[in-house]
Amino acid sequence: MDKIDYKKSEKELYFPKQEPSIIKIPKMGFIMVDGTGNPNKENGEYQKALELLYGLSYTIKMSKMGKETPEGYFDYVVPPLEGLWDIQDEYFDGTQIANKDHFIWTSMIRQPEFVTPEIFEWAVASLKQKKPDLDYTKARFEVLEEGRCVQAMHIGSYDTESNTIQKIEQFIVGQGYQNDIGSHYSTGQKKRHHEIYLSDPRKTKPENLKTVIRHPINN
């Protein structure tokens, strides 16, 4: 059986056009890590979060090599990194972010359907044996169901995302909806600006970076 690659099997979620469109996002499980501050800070909180996320995600993926394969396991490509972003109100003027030190973020990686809270806890215990210095209290497994959203592909530097965000906001209003960022899902989770990173910034020129930008709308 071929590996499942969600970017290929669910292209509508990962490869929207540059022009905004409406999409209904299904329920998905994620490993998540919360944090604050500038994601570009060397050896900062964000970089530590990525080490934790990728470590746990690849521990689950490679569990097929162990003595006990998780029930329902299938081979797959680890999905791309994603992020939910917010900023303290006093540092946002409604148009652009002046200081990235005041970001509030959740970094996350989607998990295949066989992953349960129990498998997540197994992954934590397993990785802890190899990397005991990581702060595992920051990681959690959580299910997110975003529902109806507007999304678009942004091509270019992260610092120019405001151009794509403006197109998304104009589209939302033009279609008769309202941006629902700041409200809450029935689970109590806050609705936030959502990004999916399809490019590796270490290997890709800033002008060629591909990032999916997704905003929740009222259903």
Side-chain angles (χ1 to χ4, degrees):
M1 181 178 176
D2 293 336
K3 292 181 181 179
I4 296 293
D5 186 344
Y6 291 105
K7 297 192 304 298
K8 295 179 179 179
S9 62
E10 300 178 4
K11 289 183 178 180
E12 68 278 7
L13 299 181
Y14 299 99
F15 291 99
K17 296 179 180 179
Q18 289 181 261
E19 293 304 315
S21 60
I22 297 173
I23 185 171
K24 188 172 183 180
I25 309 300
K27 183 184 298 185
M28 291 180 277
F30 292 87
I31 294 178
M32 298 181 173
V33 177
D34 295 328
T36 59
N38 192 329
N40 300 318
K41 183 178 180 180
E42 189 173 353
N43 297 320
E45 192 173 349
Y46 187 79
Q47 302 305 318
K48 293 176 182 178
L50 298 194
E51 183 180 5
L52 185 55
L53 281 173
Y54 280 108
L56 291 170
S57 294
Y58 276 95
T59 295
I60 293 172
K61 174 180 168 55
M62 299 310 296
S63 61
K64 63 180 180 179
M65 307 298 289
K67 295 180 181 179
E68 296 184 13
T69 302
E71 183 177 354
Y73 181 94
F74 54 83
D75 205 0
Y76 62 99
V77 176
V78 172
L81 177 70
E82 306 187 32
L84 302 174
W85 295 87
D86 201 353
I87 192 167
Q88 298 174 40
D89 290 340
E90 61 266 34
Y91 298 107
F92 185 53
D93 64 8
T95 58
Q96 61 183 5
I97 294 166
N99 191 335
K100 295 179 181 179
D101 291 341
H102 302 295
F103 272 137
I104 302 168
W105 44 263
T106 298
S107 288
M108 59 192 196
I109 295 179
R110 180 182 178 179
Q111 301 301 305
E113 289 74 14
F114 67 82
V115 176
T116 62
E118 291 74 24
I119 290 175
F120 167 74
E121 293 298 338
W122 167 85
V124 168
S126 180
L127 185 61
K128 190 179 292 185
Q129 295 179 14
K130 301 176 182 178
K131 295 187 175 184
D133 296 333
L134 296 180
D135 186 356
Y136 294 92
T137 64
K138 290 184 175 295
R140 69 183 185 280
F141 177 77
E142 190 166 306
V143 174
L144 180 64
E145 186 173 9
E146 292 180 282
R148 191 169 296 177
C149 297
V150 170
Q151 66 178 15
M153 180 72 78
H154 174 74
I155 299 179
S157 166
Y158 303 132
D159 292 332
T160 64
E161 286 184 0
S162 58
N163 298 328
T164 300
I165 292 172
Q166 185 177 18
K167 288 198 300 183
I168 288 175
E169 294 306 307
Q170 291 173 346
F171 179 84
I172 290 174
V173 173
Q175 294 295 312
Y177 291 97
Q178 292 180 338
N179 185 313
D180 220 18
I181 287 177
S183 63
H184 294 78
Y185 299 106
S186 58
T187 56
Q189 298 156 306
K190 186 178 180 181
K191 298 182 180 182
R192 291 184 279 171
H193 170 89
H194 187 168
E195 299 182 358
I196 305 174
Y197 308 104
L198 302 177
S199 307
D200 185 341
R202 299 169 299 178
K203 303 176 181 177
T204 308
K205 293 180 179 179
E207 62 269 25
N208 295 328
L209 291 170
K210 291 184 178 181
T211 307
V212 179
I213 297 178
R214 184 181 294 163
H215 283 184
I217 57 176
N218 60 311
N219 291 284

